Amino acid sequence: MIKSILFDSGRVLNMSSTGHWFIPPKFFEYVNKEKFLLIEKEKINNAFSNAQKYLFNEKLIKNRKEELKHFINFYKLFSENLPEIEIKNIEELAKDIVYNTNKYVFYDDVKEVIPRLKNKYKMAVVSDAWPSLENVFIDADMKKYFETIVISTQIGTLKPDPKMYETAIKSLDVNNSETIFIDDNKNNCMGAEKIGIKSILMSRENYDEDKEKYKEMLVVKDFYELEKLLQSEII
């Protein structure tokens, strides 16, 4: 019998409000938009990618103060790769991604279905993210539905490390076999499966393709389909 559900955050529960995880809401207050849009997308992507290498190497970040320090370095590296954009104030830009909780928005189906699931299941978030994620949930009035939010940088590892799932399982006081994990990444789902946690792949953008590609997995396109699947009790 399923007693608990673990959810990934990005592209499962919420998405970037700007369409890019590292472009916060006030990005163009500090970056010249006209100059930015003239740069080839490949060059922009490479600049973000090079800065991410630094950021993802910093596995242990305990709070938003530490997070801010690392995002200042992140945008410094980003700026060095794109000097033509002339970022006005790197520290303020970094503050926007750390402290502006409007950087992410929750999907409408999540806001509708999650309260109903809360009536039946213990729930937790398990996300490869930074400490500021918790404040996104708080300000959106969504944290109350989850008994814990496990954030990778606060425990020093990433999915599919078993420690990520097991930290949440321990907090919920349930068994692995009584738990379902929802993620948009196949490898993270397989990591959960390896330790006895049933998994479901959330595919909001490539549902038809992924359902055909990953026939060995349960694939859903949104929370309405997830809710129906849970009600069917075929898991």
Side-chain angles (χ1 to χ4, degrees), residues 214-227:
Y214 303 122
K215 291 183 178 180
E216 74 281 9
M217 300 183 69
L218 289 171
V219 182
V220 296
K221 62 182 176 181
D222 55 34
F223 268 66
Y224 300 123
E225 188 172 353
L226 172 63
E227 185 177 33

Side-chain angles (χ1 to χ4, degrees), residues 43-104:
K43 188 174 182 181
I44 292 172
N45 290 338
N46 286 338
F48 274 122
S49 179
N50 288 335
Q52 284 175 45
K53 288 175 184 176
Y54 157 77
L55 195 60
F56 293 149
N57 266 340
E58 301 300 323
K59 291 186 169 58
L60 191 61
I61 303 174
K62 297 179 181 179
N63 52 51
R64 287 193 292 177
K65 184 178 180 180
E66 292 182 7
E67 181 180 343
L68 176 61
K69 178 186 72 174
H70 291 300
F71 268 105
I72 289 172
N73 290 335
F74 171 88
Y75 284 115
K76 282 181 180 177
L77 291 169
F78 176 71
S79 180
E80 288 170 6
N81 281 271
L82 290 178
E84 60 267 49
I85 64 174
E86 301 173 354
I87 297 178
K88 294 177 184 177
N89 191 320
I90 287 176
E91 184 172 347
E92 289 302 313
L93 175 56
K95 284 180 179 178
D96 193 39
I97 201 164
V98 175
Y99 294 106
N100 190 340
T101 56
N102 292 322
K103 62 183 176 179
Y104 304 153

Side-chain angles (χ1 to χ4, degrees), residues 3-25:
K3 295 182 179 179
S4 64
I5 309 176
L6 311 182
F7 297 94
D8 178 35
S9 182
R11 289 184 290 269
V12 174
L13 297 170
N14 49 47
M15 60 182 173
S16 166
S17 60
T18 66
H20 193 292
W21 297 107
F22 296 104
I23 296 180

Side-chain angles (χ1 to χ4, degrees), residues 34-170:
E34 290 183 4
K35 289 182 179 180
F36 185 82
L37 294 178
L38 288 174
I39 302 171
E40 293 181 0
K41 286 186 177 180
E42 184 177 356
K43 188 174 182 181
I44 292 172
N45 290 338
N46 286 338
F48 274 122
S49 179
N50 288 335
Q52 284 175 45
K53 288 175 184 176
Y54 157 77
L55 195 60
F56 293 149
N57 266 340
E58 301 300 323
K59 291 186 169 58
L60 191 61
I61 303 174
K62 297 179 181 179
N63 52 51
R64 287 193 292 177
K65 184 178 180 180
E66 292 182 7
E67 181 180 343
L68 176 61
K69 178 186 72 174
H70 291 300
F71 268 105
I72 289 172
N73 290 335
F74 171 88
Y75 284 115
K76 282 181 180 177
L77 291 169
F78 176 71
S79 180
E80 288 170 6
N81 281 271
L82 290 178
E84 60 267 49
I85 64 174
E86 301 173 354
I87 297 178
K88 294 177 184 177
N89 191 320
I90 287 176
E91 184 172 347
E92 289 302 313
L93 175 56
K95 284 180 179 178
D96 193 39
I97 201 164
V98 175
Y99 294 106
N100 190 340
T101 56
N102 292 322
K103 62 183 176 179
Y104 304 153
V105 292
F106 287 83
Y107 295 104
D108 288 340
D109 58 305
V110 169
K111 291 186 285 187
E112 182 179 340
V113 175
I114 281 289
R116 295 199 292 264
L117 296 182
K118 177 63 176 175
N119 292 329
K120 188 174 181 180
Y121 304 100
K122 293 182 177 181
M123 300 194 297
V125 176
V126 180
S127 179
D128 291 340
W130 296 273
S132 59
L133 178 66
E134 184 170 359
N135 297 86
V136 172
F137 279 78
I138 292 170
D139 286 359
D141 199 29
M142 292 296 292
K143 188 174 185 289
K144 63 187 179 185
Y145 299 114
F146 304 95
E147 298 191 34
T148 190
I149 298 178
V150 177
I151 296 172
S152 60
T153 52
Q154 291 182 316
I155 63 173
T157 191
L158 299 165
K159 293 175 290 186
D161 187 328
K163 186 177 180 181
M164 287 289 288
Y165 316 101
E166 289 170 349
T167 299
I169 292 288
K170 183 178 180 180

